[in-house]
């Protein structure tokens, strides 16, 4: 029996919980989708658990964190306000990459190059948003690249949620 984890997303419409599975070996991490490739999203825990039980998936509760996409959206639209932490942006970046790999269609994330690699290393270090960090702070080019990537991820998320067809957790 494979291990799956609930992954809670805070949205303007209310919290949603997705089903996340870490990749084994060289496989990528992924979110559960239905037979038509649409994202599974649940408003309540009971239908989520029932879905996992029906599919023979062991749902493990580890940590109660939640990704607040509203804070990410505010930073993407107004990075000068400093309303997001480096850790939150890193989590969102990883979330959007996993989401992109999980969905069969949808707008792709921008192709990532050396500017993204450099920005990722800096955000992983936790100082990317601190101008006083010197070499550890994002350059203007890195900030633009990260904003573009996260904006594309937010667009992908919106399309995935609107196209889920699951009735927001009734599935």
């Amino acid at each position: 029996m494979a291990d799956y984890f609930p992954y809670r997303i805070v949205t303007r419409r209310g919290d949603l919980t997705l089903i996340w599975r870490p990749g084994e070996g060289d496989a990528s991490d992924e979110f559960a989708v239905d037979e038509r490739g649409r994202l599974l999203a649940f408003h309540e825990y009971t239908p989520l658990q029932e879905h996992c039980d029906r599919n023979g998936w062991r749902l493990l509760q580890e940590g109660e964190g939640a990704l607040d996409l509203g804070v990410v959206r505010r930073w993407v639209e107004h990075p000068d306000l400093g309303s997001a932490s480096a850790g939150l942006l890193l989590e969102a970046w990883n979330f959007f990459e996993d989401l992109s790999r999980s969905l069969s269609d949808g707008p792709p994330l921008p192709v990532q190059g050396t500017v993204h690699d450099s920005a990722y290393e800096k955000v992983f270090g936790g100082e990317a948003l601190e101008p006083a960090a010197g070499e550890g702070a994002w350059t203007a080019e890195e900030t633009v690249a990260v904003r573009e990537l996260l904006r594309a991820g937010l667009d992908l998320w919106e399309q995935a949620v609107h196209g889920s067809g699951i009735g927001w957790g009734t599935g």
Side-chain angles (χ1 to χ4, degrees), residues 44-92:
E44 298 176 12
Y45 184 80
T46 300
L48 175 136
Q49 182 65 59
E50 290 170 352
H51 183 86
C52 289
D53 292 345
R54 278 194 309 274
N55 287 283
W57 300 345
R58 181 174 49 195
L59 189 64
L60 301 177
Q61 296 286 337
E62 289 186 7
E64 287 298 316
L67 177 57
D68 188 338
L69 293 180
V71 173
V72 174
R73 183 174 300 282
R74 281 189 298 278
W75 183 84
V76 165
E77 294 171 358
H78 308 285
D80 52 317
L81 297 179
S83 59
S85 70
L88 175 66
L89 298 182
L90 177 64
E91 183 178 353

Side-chain angles (χ1 to χ4, degrees), residues 2-133:
D3 292 340
Y4 291 79
F5 300 86
Y7 195 102
R8 192 163 56 101
I9 304 294
V10 176
T11 72
R12 295 180 296 237
R13 294 181 216 82
D15 293 2
L16 288 174
T17 304
L18 311 178
I19 303 169
W20 180 80
R21 180 164 185 241
E24 297 177 11
D26 291 337
S28 299
D29 299 343
E30 62 187 7
F31 288 98
V33 296
D34 68 9
E35 62 280 349
R36 294 201 281 183
R38 297 177 303 186
L39 185 66
L40 295 174
F42 300 84
H43 272 296
E44 298 176 12
Y45 184 80
T46 300
L48 175 136
Q49 182 65 59
E50 290 170 352
H51 183 86
C52 289
D53 292 345
R54 278 194 309 274
N55 287 283
W57 300 345
R58 181 174 49 195
L59 189 64
L60 301 177
Q61 296 286 337
E62 289 186 7
E64 287 298 316
L67 177 57
D68 188 338
L69 293 180
V71 173
V72 174
R73 183 174 300 282
R74 281 189 298 278
W75 183 84
V76 165
E77 294 171 358
H78 308 285
D80 52 317
L81 297 179
S83 59
S85 70
L88 175 66
L89 298 182
L90 177 64
E91 183 178 353
W93 188 332
N94 290 329
F95 168 72
F96 292 138
E97 286 184 338
D98 290 352
L99 183 63
S100 178
R101 285 189 298 267
S102 301
L103 299 173
S104 57
D105 60 351
L109 294 179
V111 174
Q112 296 181 43
T114 56
V115 70
H116 294 91
D117 294 343
S118 176
Y120 192 89
E121 289 298 319
K122 289 178 181 178
V123 75
F124 192 78
E127 297 180 336
L129 300 177
E130 298 175 26

